[in-house]
Amino acid sequence: MKPFLFSATILSLLGLATVPQVLAATNTSTATTASTATTSSSAESTNTHQTTTTTTNSPKTSTTGTNAANATTTTANASPGQQTATSSATSSANTSQSSSTASSSSANSSSTSDTGTNQGNTDQGNQTTPAQPFTASELTEINALKALHRGLDQTTYDVTTLYASPSNLSGYPFTIGTIKKNYIAATTQWVNYYRHLSGLPPVSTTNDENYVSQLAASVLAGVNANPMLSQHGLLNSSQPAYIPNSIWQQAKLTTNASNLYFRADAESAGKSVSSLVGDNNNIDGNDTGHRAWILSPYLSTFGVGAAYGSNGWKYENMLVMNKTVEQAQATKPQQDVVAYPNAGVFPVEELAPSNGKAIPWSIYFAKSQPHGTLSVKVADNTTGATVTAKDLMDASMNQYGNYKNIFTFIPRGLDLAAGHEYTVTLSGLDNYPNGYTYTFKLFNIVDADDAGNTNSDAALQNIDIPEESVGTVKGAPYGKTQLLSAPFHGTYLSKYLSNNTAWKSYGKTFINGQYFYNLGGAQWINGRFFEKNEQTADGVLTISFAPGQAIAAYNSPYYNHKATGRYFTTGTQWRYNQVVNVGDVNWYNLGDGQWVPASYVQLDS
């Protein structure tokens, strides 16, 4: 695939230069605070506006998906080919340091448990050869990595918890919505964990790159893109009438510049990243292109978006190609050589087979390495065993990650065990007549008696969007509503709020298609009973739905409203005289108690 560029100018021409965030107006009437305690929320890092991103060479798709009965994992990329396997990749992620030429270690200090894996199969068990003790410096690094690993976010997301705002992906009007800031932050955390493991500096997301990534993921989900086929450039998808052409064209550009990942299951943001880095379910084979882009020495920013299709699959877009080959090669790489596993200490869990397949190893060179016939030997310095790596692949022509040379291999038949030291030697490179060689020692990132990091829904129980405002309880059945301890997996409290009473809120979060508002501390109200704003307002709106179709009007903006039997046709204009915001959705009164929601209208200026 030829390198290409998309810029802010192109995005502006596509009508994507500005995507405003609309927040509910604050009611200034007198209100009662449910509690003086407030909850805090971490900084937002998602969406809006245009992007100035450039793209290059062959993008990668990791489509990982599990069906209900058996976990089925697939990965795809821009080149032909497809793989299917059972289960999805699991990996721990960690950090280490540089991939220098030739390093050795051993010597004294304490040791770790001696568990291991065999690259030829999925067995994992105790090894008979005693583990080598770790040096003091190695133990310091190991302890730091363990602490870092325990801090990785493990929040599990599904279709009910991923979004931070409403979306509509399967019909008119096509609305991409946003995803939770914690999902983006967790993705960034995991990406940087793997980059640190490979001796690379951290990267960050940008609002612009997150926005186009979310747009691309939403289009893939909106058409239920076939996860068994490459979807770069929407190659194997057809544009439906409800997705505007400007959105479709932007998604084509973005998917061509991204790692794509598909999976039909609930999972953490880290699982997506670890599967891309493990990269053993790639339709191109073991070229490890997804890994190369995440571990690119030219990467500084990226974007992430995710959306669920009506088929139950999660479609994730990670925008990683934001430099052309020329731009990348004109800058100094952050590191000349990146190996996986890397020199130093490295977690054995990261190399454990998954999906019934071995994890491919890789060595990437930022500078061109002329070579003849290549071979790779991996020696276990602890036992003296040596194997010649199988499945040696030269994927340099693809220039994934803007690397000049990409070599991948699998040391089949070699037992991998914590406490063992290994030396990798790549022979055949003109610039390394004695071979490019480096040494690493494996360790357990999770101790046998340590549960490590565990899944948690704590992040889903916090305020997602901080904002102080005043709301009024309206439309609650039987005249009152019961408060919850949390918006997700919360329990009902003994406190009830009556209709027509006003309360101060401190922020909101979006769960299962609706907003919940925090009234202080662990006190939450369901947004469908919370009116944020009611005002008399004159204006004109246009019905925006499917061409030739109409939307129903309701007798009230509140819960348990009913259709009036009147319909308003797409393209027709109407004057409204009242606006009410319930659960962060504006409703417009077109007169005579005919109410329509904001999702199906456009306000005329």
Side-chain angles (χ1 to χ4, degrees):
M1 181 173 293
K2 296 289 186 181
F4 62 89
L5 168 71
F6 66 92
S7 65
T9 302
I10 293 176
L11 293 177
S12 181
L13 291 173
L14 292 177
L16 299 175
T18 305
V19 182
Q21 290 270 22
V22 180
L23 300 179
T26 300
N27 189 324
T28 56
S29 61
T30 304
T32 304
T33 301
S35 170
T36 56
T38 62
T39 52
S40 61
S41 141
S42 57
E44 180 89 43
S45 63
T46 65
N47 310 331
T48 78
H49 303 90
Q50 81 219 36
T51 183
T52 305
T53 50
T54 59
T55 62
T56 167
N57 18 26
S58 300
K60 304 292 298 177
T61 311
S62 174
T63 39
T64 307
T66 63
N67 296 323
N70 289 322
T72 300
T73 306
T74 65
T75 62
N77 42 47
S79 304
Q82 180 74 41
Q83 291 181 347
T84 305
T86 57
S87 185
S88 60
T90 58
S91 126
S92 305
N94 313 286
T95 50
S96 196
Q97 50 207 32
S98 65
S99 64
S100 58
T101 59
S103 67
S104 62
S105 57
S106 61
N108 23 32
S109 269
S110 54
S111 60
T112 65
S113 59
D114 196 14
T115 58
T117 67
N118 185 299
Q119 284 295 89
N121 52 54
T122 57
D123 292 339
Q124 183 166 346
N126 293 328
Q127 307 299 308
T128 56
T129 304
Q132 291 181 272
F134 292 102
T135 66
S137 60
E138 287 172 340
L139 286 173
T140 298
E141 177 69 4
I142 287 171
N143 289 333
L145 294 177
K146 288 184 176 183
L148 191 58
H149 182 264
R150 284 192 294 271
L152 289 172
D153 186 278
Q154 293 283 356
T155 304
T156 298
Y157 294 87
D158 60 19
V159 67
T160 68
T161 57
L162 176 66
Y163 295 100
S165 65
S167 64
N168 181 34
L169 307 182
S170 57
Y172 292 95
F174 186 75
T175 308
I176 68 173
T178 57
I179 57 174
K180 284 193 164 44
K181 62 184 179 294
N182 188 70
Y183 188 93
I184 295 176
T187 300
T188 305
Q189 182 188 40
W190 278 85
V191 165
N192 285 330
Y193 196 76
Y194 280 106
R195 286 179 63 84
H196 182 61
L197 177 64
S198 298
L200 293 164
V203 294
S204 60
T205 62
T206 68
N207 288 344
D208 293 340
E209 289 168 297
N210 286 337
Y211 172 70
V212 292
S213 294
Q214 185 60 31
L215 179 150
S218 297
V219 168
L220 289 168
V223 299
N224 290 325
N226 189 336
M228 307 302 170
L229 299 174
S230 173
Q231 296 297 342
H232 290 288
L234 305 179
L235 181 64
N236 290 292
S237 294
S238 299
Q239 180 181 358
Y242 59 83
I243 298 183
N245 190 57
S246 60
I247 297 293
W248 186 263
Q249 294 303 319
Q250 180 58 64
K252 289 176 69 174
L253 291 173
T254 304
T255 55
N256 247 336
S258 302
N259 280 345
L260 302 180
Y261 173 86
F262 309 149
R263 178 179 168 88
D265 202 2
E267 64 178 3
S268 68
K271 182 58 178 295
S272 303
V273 179
S274 63
S275 295
L276 288 167
V277 173
D279 217 359
N280 64 339
N281 271 318
N282 193 327
I283 64 170
D284 280 354
N286 291 327
D287 65 13
T288 67
H290 305 105
R291 180 191 297 166
W293 282 113
I294 291 174
L295 302 184
S296 172
Y298 301 101
L299 189 67
S300 57
T301 63
F302 73 104
V304 61
Y308 276 90
S310 60
N311 58 0
W313 286 72
K314 182 184 77 171
Y315 296 84
E316 182 158 334
N317 187 103
M318 182 185 290
L319 178 61
V320 288
M321 296 165 57
N322 50 22
K323 288 184 177 70
T324 64
V325 175
E326 293 76 14
Q327 289 172 327
Q329 296 302 322
T331 61
K332 180 179 174 58
Q334 299 153 343
Q335 194 163 295
D336 289 333
V337 185
V338 174
Y340 190 93
N342 196 25
V345 291
F346 196 88
V348 67
E349 292 91 340
E350 292 294 349
L351 302 177
S354 62
N355 309 313
K357 299 179 182 179
I359 298 295
W361 297 16
S362 57
I363 303 176
Y364 308 141
F365 292 89
K367 298 178 181 178
S368 182
Q369 300 295 325
H371 60 84
T373 302
L374 298 173
S375 66
V376 176
K377 290 187 181 297
V378 182
D380 183 338
N381 300 331
T382 305
T383 66
T386 300
V387 300
T388 298
K390 305 296 183 181
D391 306 306
L392 178 58
M393 176 184 289
D394 182 355
S396 303
M397 65 177 294
N398 296 312
Q399 295 193 345
Y400 299 131
N402 291 316
Y403 283 105
K404 285 293 188 180
N405 291 97
I406 298 170
F407 305 120
T408 70
F409 53 94
I410 298 176
R412 298 190 187 278
L414 183 70
D415 288 331
L416 303 179
H420 287 215
E421 181 187 79
Y422 300 84
T423 296
V424 178
T425 303
L426 171 61
S427 300
L429 303 177
D430 293 355
N431 294 334
Y432 297 89
N434 295 322
Y436 179 83
T437 183
Y438 70 95
T439 300
F440 64 92
K441 188 180 289 186
L442 293 176
F443 74 98
N444 290 117
I445 193 74
V446 178
D447 295 326
D449 59 349
D450 181 7
N453 46 14
T454 57
N455 289 338
S456 170
D457 58 21
L460 303 175
Q461 298 174 348
N462 297 326
I463 292 175
D464 200 45
I465 302 175
E467 57 179 22
E468 290 192 11
S469 60
V470 173
T472 303
V473 180
K474 289 286 186 73
Y478 310 109
K480 60 185 177 180
T481 184
Q482 192 172 6
L483 295 185
L484 292 162
S485 62
F488 182 68
H489 289 171
T491 58
Y492 282 105
L493 304 177
S494 58
K495 188 166 188 175
Y496 292 79
L497 302 184
S498 299
N499 282 340
N500 301 314
T501 58
W503 302 88
K504 184 175 182 180
S505 66
Y506 298 92
K508 61 189 177 185
T509 193
F510 191 75
I511 298 289
N512 200 20
Q514 62 188 30
Y515 283 104
F516 291 80
Y517 293 87
N518 179 262
L519 303 185
Q523 298 182 110
W524 295 79
I525 186 173
N526 191 318
R528 60 186 174 179
F529 308 129
F530 203 55
E531 178 189 280
K532 295 290 295 300
N533 183 43
E534 180 178 348
Q535 59 180 334
T536 300
D538 282 324
V540 175
L541 56 78
T542 300
I543 305 300
S544 177
F545 192 53
Q549 297 187 27
I551 64 171
Y554 293 85
N555 64 353
S556 163
Y558 305 114
Y559 182 69
N560 277 342
H561 54 211
K562 294 179 174 56
T564 64
R566 187 170 178 183
Y567 293 87
F568 295 85
T569 305
T570 295
T572 59
Q573 291 184 312
W574 301 88
R575 181 171 294 279
Y576 60 89
N577 56 31
Q578 188 181 12
V579 182
V580 171
N581 184 286
V582 179
D584 216 49
V585 175
N586 278 336
W587 287 79
Y588 297 90
N589 187 353
L590 305 187
D592 297 326
Q594 305 292 326
W595 292 85
V596 294
S599 53
Y600 298 117
V601 306
Q602 288 183 344
L603 299 185
D604 298 348
S605 56

